[in-house]
Amino acid sequence: PGETCRHYEYTCPSQCTENWPHDITVIADFLHMHAIGSQMWTTVNRAAMEPITLNRIDYWAVNFQSFTPVGSQGANTPGDGLVIKRGDRINTHCVYNNPTQEVVRFGSASAEEMCIDFILYYPALGTASNPYTGCAPFFFGGSNCTLCGDPSTDMCTP
């Protein structure tokens, strides 16, 4: 409460992406927060390279959200998409401004906040029985976990 410019960073670590069966090509990106979000961006980090900005919104407006086309150098650049390679690290950053004294928590309700990057890519990483994949930090049963999209690769620490 009463904070401006509170920054959160979420990481899909290289330990997750190195378990992918193949590289992916991102063709569109959808950054998502709720009402107190003010800025959001995602970078792709590869060993021995400068980070590539996948997408960035410097002036967040909750009522103006849409997919952004992604080219070979990130959002709104020419090309047929950005390749994310096995072993790359993906970092999503969210900045919030809460000038009120209300406590705002993360959750699925509109009055709560989110920090999610929906990435449209090919070829699919999922399977016929589970067509979705994800990499997300979450808190479960007293442990901090990173969900890598496959229960055999989930990483949890007490």
Side-chain angles (χ1 to χ4, degrees):
E3 287 188 280
T4 58
C5 293
R6 176 72 184 236
H7 175 250
Y8 289 87
E9 180 178 2
Y10 299 99
T11 299
C12 180
S14 59
Q15 294 91 334
C16 282
T17 64
E18 69 188 11
N19 290 318
W20 292 352
H22 49 75
D23 299 344
I24 62 171
T25 301
V26 178
I27 57 172
D29 190 76
F30 187 98
L31 299 172
H32 180 71
M33 295 188 295
H34 287 167
I36 65 169
S38 64
Q39 187 180 31
M40 186 172 183
W41 68 97
T42 295
T43 58
V44 176
N45 302 274
R46 187 170 298 149
M49 286 184 61
E50 289 291 316
I52 299 168
T53 301
L54 178 62
N55 197 359
R56 183 180 187 104
I57 298 175
D58 286 321
Y59 304 99
W60 181 260
V62 68
N63 294 322
F64 296 98
Q65 300 182 52
S66 65
F67 271 102
T68 301
V70 174
S72 60
Q73 295 300 308
N76 294 311
T77 65
D80 295 327
L82 174 68
V83 175
I84 298 180
K85 296 181 175 290
R86 295 175 67 235
D88 286 353
R89 187 180 78 241
I90 305 166
N91 292 67
T92 298
H93 302 259
C94 292
V95 178
Y96 301 94
N97 289 316
N98 183 7
T100 72
Q101 292 304 308
E102 298 291 322
V103 173
V104 179
R105 300 192 188 289
F106 284 95
S108 59
S110 293
E112 298 171 317
E113 266 306 330
M114 292 186 164
C115 181
I116 300 175
D117 189 352
F118 297 97
I119 298 173
L120 184 61
Y121 65 90
Y122 69 90
L125 290 172
T127 63
S129 61
N130 181 17
Y132 304 103
T133 189
C135 184
F138 66 101
F139 187 76
F140 179 75
S143 297
N144 289 311
C145 300
T146 298
L147 173 66
C148 295
D150 177 350
S152 67
T153 60
D154 290 350
M155 297 178 285
C156 296
T157 57

